Amino acid sequence: MARTTGAVGALHGLGAIVLAAVPLAMVLANRSSPAVVGLAALLFLAAGLIEDRRAVVAAVASPLRSPPGLCALAFLAWCGLSFAWSPLPALSLRSASEFLPTLLAAYLVARLAPGRLPAGTATLAAGMFGLACLVVVADLASDLALRRLLGGRIAYFVHNRPAMTILLVGITLTGLLLAQGRRWWALAVVGLGLTAILRSVSGAASLGLLAGLAMLAVTRLAPARVALGLAGAGLCLAVALAPIEGEILHRLMPEAAHDRLVQSSSRARVAIARSFGAAVAADPWTGAGFGTSARFADVPAAQGLEPDLRAMLAVGHPHNSFLQVWAELGIVGAALASAVLLLTLRGIAGLPPPDMAVALTLVAAASAIAFVEHGAWQPWWTAGLGAAVVWLRETGTGQAASASTRLRPESLAR
């Protein structure tokens, strides 16, 4: 028994170290978070199976029987069904083979790690987070000396993905540190995180930061129902307006604004949004099929578009995850995605006020980034969200459990 307990504790300790390393790993290799989160998931899964297999099954399966879980499964089923009409089935399969394992790993680590992290994990995570931020700032200040040393791609935007991961993880890690009374560590995380994000050239990370700060202010100044209502309205508008985003910006955005946002390629982004929006209008019901954005110019919905609109479909994705869902999965996919998001907000509404504030801040920041940047199914993004959720859930479980109860098998079913 003592040997089994020791093995479980060792696996939990290793898993905690791996989880803490997610931001730093992204800085050193900016697509590495799926492998890091996957390893952490395997470590916590192995510990759980040694400790109590039935409790692991209960911990993993119980959320899938809830309304948000059932909606999420329905959404994934629709993604799979879309293979039947995808004109590029090999591309759809490749996208799924990258996204689904990372989604599974993120889900497992979010379910199995909280409540089983050793004492001091938050401090370790804060230290590694701070180191990641310092490396970003130093590398950018030295004209990417580290990237040159490591032989990586020499471009300032290589730190954009790490900056977005730093934002996601920093929000919930700060909440955990504050809940544990480690205010100076929390202040260090906030200060270094802000420095790295603002020093980077990632407009998406800066936008996410602004959205998160705005939501945090609302949660502190207004009743909870107001904050939840604003979050719900924002998510619904993000989904509903995605297909016409390009046309709205094309008509309303002045040239002076484009000139100020030249570093963000705003003109190209508007053109891309108009092109994908036109493709959605051509096939609004089922979409072109999961993962087809990488070659969207070749799908049937694109064939009837004007040449200038069709040319912009070759960029690989619409730089708006909500619009990508519309383009690939149609109105059914968009409706299911909306249901998942709103039911998630309903779950957040049941959290204690401090935890709810952190969760809504994360939702606002992540949604803002999703509206302007990157593909919906990119594994590094999914892994970063999974790591952020671990620290969010650890805040609640850590307040309810002492160190002596963390190793009890029944705690896995929480």
Side-chain angles (χ1 to χ4, degrees):
M1 179 65 70
R3 183 175 298 178
T4 298
T5 301
V8 169
L11 289 169
H12 286 162
L14 287 173
I17 293 171
V18 172
L19 266 178
V22 167
L24 183 58
M26 280 293 287
V27 171
L28 299 177
N30 71 24
R31 294 176 187 264
S32 61
S33 58
V36 177
V37 170
L39 176 58
L42 288 175
L43 290 167
F44 283 103
L45 178 61
L49 292 176
I50 292 172
E51 198 172 25
D52 190 320
R53 295 183 182 182
R54 286 187 295 180
V56 168
V57 172
V60 172
S62 58
L64 300 179
R65 294 191 291 267
S66 67
L70 292 172
C71 273
L73 291 175
F75 177 79
L76 291 175
W78 182 254
C79 292
L81 185 61
S82 73
F83 279 49
W85 58 81
S86 170
L88 304 165
L91 180 60
S92 296
L93 181 60
R94 188 179 73 185
S95 297
S97 69
E98 294 173 351
F99 170 65
L100 292 177
T102 306
L103 179 64
L104 177 61
Y107 178 71
L108 287 175
V109 80
R111 288 300 302 164
L112 300 178
R116 282 155 290 279
L117 297 172
T121 296
T123 305
L124 171 66
M128 298 185 80
F129 178 94
L131 180 58
C133 295
L134 290 173
V135 171
V136 169
V137 173
D139 197 35
L140 290 170
S142 63
D143 195 27
L144 302 177
L146 177 62
R147 302 300 303 177
R148 297 176 196 278
L149 179 65
L150 295 177
R153 191 172 185 180
I154 309 302
Y156 286 106
F157 63 75
V158 297
H159 287 301
N160 287 5
R161 292 187 182 94
M164 285 179 266
T165 302
I166 284 170
L167 175 60
L168 298 177
V169 172
I171 290 170
T172 54
L173 181 57
T174 299
L176 175 59
L177 290 165
L178 289 174
Q180 294 181 350
R182 293 179 166 89
R183 295 186 178 181
W184 287 108
W185 282 101
L187 183 62
V189 165
V190 170
L192 290 170
L194 286 173
T195 302
I197 291 166
L198 296 177
R199 182 64 182 83
S200 76
V201 297
S202 174
S206 296
L207 179 63
L209 175 63
L210 288 174
L213 289 174
M215 179 55 70
L216 180 61
V218 171
T219 63
R220 299 303 297 266
L221 300 174
R225 64 180 180 275
V226 174
L228 287 163
L230 285 175
L235 290 171
C236 288
L237 285 174
V239 176
L241 296 180
I244 56 174
E245 170 206 3
E247 288 300 325
I248 293 174
L249 293 176
H250 177 67
R251 295 174 185 273
L252 299 181
M253 196 168 178
E255 285 299 314
H258 285 300
D259 292 337
R260 287 195 297 269
L261 295 172
V262 63
Q263 292 260 356
S264 299
S265 305
S266 61
R267 288 185 178 85
R269 288 175 180 272
V270 171
I272 292 166
R274 288 186 68 206
S275 297
F276 276 90
V280 170
D283 183 14
W285 302 109
T286 61
F290 180 85
T292 53
S293 289
R295 289 176 54 193
F296 212 78
D298 298 330
V299 306
Q303 303 309 308
L305 299 184
E306 298 176 10
D308 59 330
L309 289 175
R310 188 179 174 192
M312 297 305 294
L313 297 176
V315 296
H317 58 80
H319 292 272
N320 180 333
S321 295
F322 304 101
L323 179 53
Q324 185 174 346
V325 169
W326 272 98
E328 295 181 3
L329 302 171
I331 193 170
V332 176
L336 289 171
S338 299
V340 172
L341 293 172
L342 293 178
L343 287 170
T344 299
L345 283 183
R346 191 179 74 171
I348 290 174
L351 296 176
D355 295 356
M356 186 181 73
V358 175
L360 288 177
T361 300
L362 176 64
V363 168
S367 299
I369 292 174
F371 197 77
V372 298
E373 191 61 57
H374 296 290
W377 324 121
Q378 292 196 35
W380 70 268
W381 173 250
T382 304
L385 286 170
V389 171
V390 170
W391 306 125
L392 176 64
R393 294 196 68 240
E394 176 66 10
T395 302
T397 59
Q399 291 171 338
S402 66
S404 63
T405 60
R406 287 186 178 186
L407 294 180
R408 291 181 183 174
E410 60 267 26
S411 67
L412 279 168
R414 273 198 305 264

